[in-house]
Amino acid sequence: MDRSQDELEFWIIRFLDACVVAEAVSASTLKAYRHTLSSLAQFLQSQGISRWAGAHPSLLEAFLQDAMARRGWSPSTWNQKIAALRAFFRFLETEGVIQENPALSLRWHSQRRRIRPPLPLHQRQRLLRIARALPETPLGLRDRLIVELIGHLGLRSGQVLALTIDDVDLARRRLRILGRSGPRWLELPDTVASALQRYLEVGRPALVRNPEIRALLLNYRGEPLTRQGLWRAIKILALRAGLSPSISPERLRRPPGLPLPTNNLSLH
């Protein structure tokens, strides 16, 4: 090991030791850090750089671009490498080895989430028909309401699960939901209001075990419905309707651009 490699390796070891002492990362992350930093040290040496203070942002960018081209990194892998470099150079900055962190200027790669298209209108209508034909058991009434809230009213699954009985105003046929800009009232169309009223009159009282639980939707144990339970209810209905069980609440929602059958009301 020549002197330049020894100097670079010394601080890699110091950094990894500090991570172990602080118990800041897992063993697999330590291994990934080691691999990334050793590869960077070799790259810097090939560029005639013998000290970490010489690792300018342009060199770090060149290192990442070269490795990505040769190894076919995904955007997530690229971002993991940047996270490792930022952590390492932050350590060097704290130790006084460098004056500022050169990895802060590295750009993250955006990871666009795959957006699956909404259900075709005829499939969404079929699922609504199946839900409306469910027997009026406590869970049947609950699942009918779920499909009405998501497929007809257009609520997100998180909004549905967050509803409490205090958010229901049947006298004014409206529902209070939590939106991105805060709570607001939604006026209920006839089918949604009917499903909600029937669930509150017959379905929910049969499910309640603890009166102190205010969640609107309950499971068979009387506990607040979970996200997994919501997905399961929709998948079962999809199978009954002869549709793919991969249907998600997101796909069941009213497609963008299709007018909602409700009027937004300001929250008083």
Side-chain angles (χ1 to χ4, degrees):
M1 182 182 293
D2 59 35
R3 292 187 60 185
S4 64
Q5 186 176 355
D6 185 62
E7 170 74 13
L8 297 172
E9 180 71 13
F10 171 79
W11 286 106
I12 293 175
I13 295 174
R14 285 285 301 273
F15 168 68
L16 297 177
D17 286 345
C19 289
V20 171
V21 171
E23 297 182 345
V25 295
S26 64
S28 60
T29 301
L30 280 175
K31 183 178 179 180
Y33 279 178
R34 172 74 182 184
H35 180 268
T36 299
L37 297 175
S38 295
S39 298
L40 175 59
Q42 293 174 9
F43 177 81
L44 293 177
Q45 279 191 297
S46 71
Q47 302 299 312
I49 305 298
S50 60
R51 295 179 180 273
W52 288 113
H56 300 299
S58 59
L59 282 172
L60 298 183
E61 181 77 24
F63 161 69
L64 292 173
Q65 292 287 1
D66 177 69
M68 189 172 192
R70 288 186 294 105
R71 299 173 185 172
W73 287 347
S74 66
S76 61
T77 301
W78 171 282
N79 291 341
Q80 289 169 7
K81 301 300 181 182
I82 289 182
L85 295 182
R86 287 189 175 187
F88 175 63
F89 284 105
R90 182 168 60 245
F91 169 77
L92 295 184
E93 187 178 13
T94 302
E95 293 292 311
V97 179
I98 59 176
Q99 293 185 348
E100 58 183 16
N101 189 336
L104 292 179
S105 63
L106 297 174
R107 294 170 297 175
W108 304 101
H109 271 207
S110 63
Q111 301 181 64
R112 295 182 179 178
R113 183 170 61 91
R114 181 187 176 191
I115 300 177
R116 303 187 67 183
L119 282 181
L121 180 59
H122 71 281
Q123 292 188 11
R124 192 154 49 85
Q125 290 176 336
R126 187 191 311 170
L127 195 59
L128 282 166
R129 286 196 300 269
I130 293 296
R132 290 167 184 170
L134 287 172
E136 291 204 347
T137 62
L139 294 181
L141 291 169
R142 183 205 65 185
D143 292 351
R144 172 191 169 191
L145 178 59
I146 288 173
V147 174
E148 292 288 353
L149 292 172
I150 296 176
H152 194 176
L153 200 57
L155 300 188
R156 298 189 299 274
S157 57
Q159 292 174 317
V160 172
L161 293 172
L163 290 172
T164 70
I165 57 177
D166 302 310
D167 296 320
V168 179
D169 185 355
L170 282 178
R172 298 186 182 182
R173 294 170 60 89
R174 63 181 188 171
L175 187 68
R176 181 174 55 194
I177 67 166
L178 183 61
R180 291 187 174 88
S181 58
R184 70 182 190 279
W185 290 102
L186 285 180
E187 186 177 326
L188 299 177
D190 291 342
T191 55
V192 180
S194 174
L196 181 56
Q197 182 171 0
R198 193 64 179 155
Y199 170 71
L200 287 175
E201 290 177 349
V202 178
R204 192 178 185 278
L207 296 172
V208 170
R209 300 290 184 275
N210 181 357
E212 294 184 1
I213 293 179
R214 309 297 290 176
L216 177 63
L217 298 176
L218 304 176
N219 61 24
Y220 71 95
R221 294 187 298 270
E223 300 167 346
L225 188 66
T226 64
R227 186 174 296 270
Q228 292 80 3
L230 180 70
W231 277 62
R232 188 181 305 114
I234 292 176
K235 288 179 184 297
I236 291 174
L237 285 173
L239 287 172
R240 289 185 179 183
L243 304 176
S244 170
S246 64
I247 289 175
S248 66
E250 179 186 52
R251 296 193 66 203
L252 177 60
R253 289 184 67 205
R254 178 175 295 272
L258 193 63
L260 284 172
T262 60
N263 297 320
N264 287 358
L265 305 175
S266 58
L267 183 62
H268 299 295

